[in-house]
Amino acid sequence: GVKTFYYAHCPERAIPGRTIHEMIHNDRIIGGIDQKSAEMAKEIYSSFVKGNLYLTDATTAEFVKLMENTYRDINIALANEFALIAEDIGIDVWEAIELANKHPRVNILKPGPGVGGHCIAVDPLFLVEKSSNSRIVNLAREINDSMPVHVVKLAKEMLQGIENPTITLLGLAYKGNVDDTRESPTFKIKKIAESEGFNVKIYDPLVKDHPYNHPSLEEATGNSDCLILVTDHTAFKGIDPRKLPVRNKNLIDSRNLLNHDVWREAGYVVRVLGKASW
């Protein structure tokens, strides 16, 4: 007899570090190639998912996933653009974003050194490929991809006059408190900095067995001329700036994570992404 084939596309929305919890509790979109496929997939998911299940077709399900990740990419791009403007006009973007988010219908995300991960940095490109009407999507990708260049520019300004500078990038993971390095801005910053003639060392306490990773913070910061915080790991807050064997005391905090007063007291010149340097 004829074998019947059923297919459903159910994009996951789980965050690294909370995958099992989110797979159970998040709402799910179930996109079947036909109604029967969607119903059968719903039956399987309802055996463990506590969130709501919404049925649609497979193409819409994929489009919804791309929309969700593109929405976040564009929101981050807007935050990054605000950060660049704030540096130009001499204000603190972090304070401004916090105040703007007091508005009941505004939720601006945080700026940073670039967007990584397997979803937000990748998914918008599928929309760009399929339609010529993806102008904001394209521009947001462009802005987020330019942030590593901006971070290196800040470092160049701080390191003027230093021969053969060495910089230390704190973080290999693409976001805080995970060990996932996919599409991490660290790789882009490393590449750009090396093309500018910098020697680059990297330290990430969470990432195991990566060829770029130095075994200890001490080794990674030895004779360094500038530390750049790239990944917002909570562990980095515990660094004692007085104990680092650096050559020159410069810090760029691209995530506004560290206690800058403590670093300044230890003799560091501190620059923060999205804050005026003057």
Side-chain angles (χ1 to χ4, degrees):
V2 179
K3 282 196 167 63
T4 311
F5 182 77
Y6 299 104
Y7 177 85
H9 176 41
C10 314
E12 54 81 16
R13 297 155 147 166
I15 193 168
R18 278 172 65 85
T19 305
I20 301 297
H21 178 272
E22 293 217 339
M23 283 184 81
I24 294 168
H25 294 279
N26 288 2
D27 290 355
R28 295 303 291 266
I29 310 293
I30 294 174
I33 51 167
D34 54 33
Q35 191 63 30
K36 180 86 168 111
S37 296
E39 297 286 354
M40 288 170 78
K42 182 183 179 181
E43 207 172 304
I44 295 166
Y45 274 98
S46 57
S47 69
F48 68 90
V49 174
K50 291 191 166 80
N52 298 319
L53 301 173
Y54 299 99
L55 270 53
T56 184
D57 62 273
T59 309
T60 304
E62 175 65 3
F63 191 60
V64 168
K65 184 188 87 158
L66 300 178
M67 283 166 70
E68 290 168 359
N69 285 323
T70 302
Y71 172 83
R72 289 178 63 75
D73 196 40
I74 290 170
N75 196 329
I76 294 165
L78 183 61
N80 281 333
E81 192 158 284
F82 286 151
L84 298 175
I85 296 168
E87 285 180 20
D88 289 340
I89 62 176
I91 61 152
D92 177 346
V93 80
W94 303 89
E95 183 196 354
I97 287 173
E98 196 182 322
L99 293 172
N101 284 349
K102 304 281 184 209
H103 188 295
R105 289 172 297 284
V106 172
N107 180 25
I108 301 160
L109 296 179
K110 291 176 179 171
V115 174
H118 196 53
C119 296
I120 298 177
V122 178
D123 283 2
L125 300 173
F126 291 110
L127 298 178
V128 169
E129 203 175 292
K130 282 288 179 197
S131 169
S132 59
N133 286 312
S134 48
R135 288 176 298 173
I136 293 177
V137 180
N138 251 327
L139 186 57
R141 278 281 76 237
E142 219 173 278
I143 292 166
N144 289 338
D145 276 345
S146 76
M147 293 311 288
V149 180
H150 182 68
V151 170
V152 174
K153 184 175 150 262
L154 294 181
K156 268 181 78 175
E157 287 170 10
M158 292 181 91
L159 296 172
Q160 270 174 351
I162 295 174
E163 296 266 313
N164 303 322
T166 293
I167 64 171
T168 303
L169 306 182
L170 298 175
L172 250 178
Y174 78 87
K175 62 181 267 183
N177 305 325
V178 303
D179 63 0
D180 190 341
T181 62
R182 288 179 296 181
E183 310 293 326
S184 173
T186 302
F187 300 119
K188 294 169 191 155
I189 293 170
K190 179 180 190 288
K191 199 174 170 185
I192 298 159
E194 284 174 345
S195 73
E196 292 282 354
F198 294 2
N199 177 33
V200 179
K201 299 199 281 188
I202 299 172
Y203 174 67
D204 192 312
L206 273 68
V207 174
K208 304 284 175 260
D209 304 321
H210 194 286
Y212 291 169
N213 204 3
H214 278 67
S216 71
L217 177 64
E218 194 173 42
E219 207 173 312
T221 56
N223 287 323
S224 180
D225 299 299
C226 183
L227 310 183
I228 303 178
L229 186 125
V230 183
T231 311
D232 45 347
H233 291 321
T234 308
F236 287 144
K237 289 185 178 183
I239 295 173
D240 184 346
R242 295 168 305 183
K243 293 183 175 160
L244 302 177
V246 298
R247 185 168 58 176
N248 284 292
K249 293 183 172 183
N250 292 303
L251 170 71
I252 295 170
D253 186 347
S254 73
R255 302 274 188 179
N256 194 30
L257 178 85
L258 303 171
N259 183 332
H260 305 128
D261 289 342
V262 169
W263 285 79
R264 288 192 177 103
E265 276 164 29
Y268 277 76
V269 176
V270 178
R271 280 215 64 178
V272 183
L273 178 77
K275 284 192 189 186
S277 58
W278 36 277

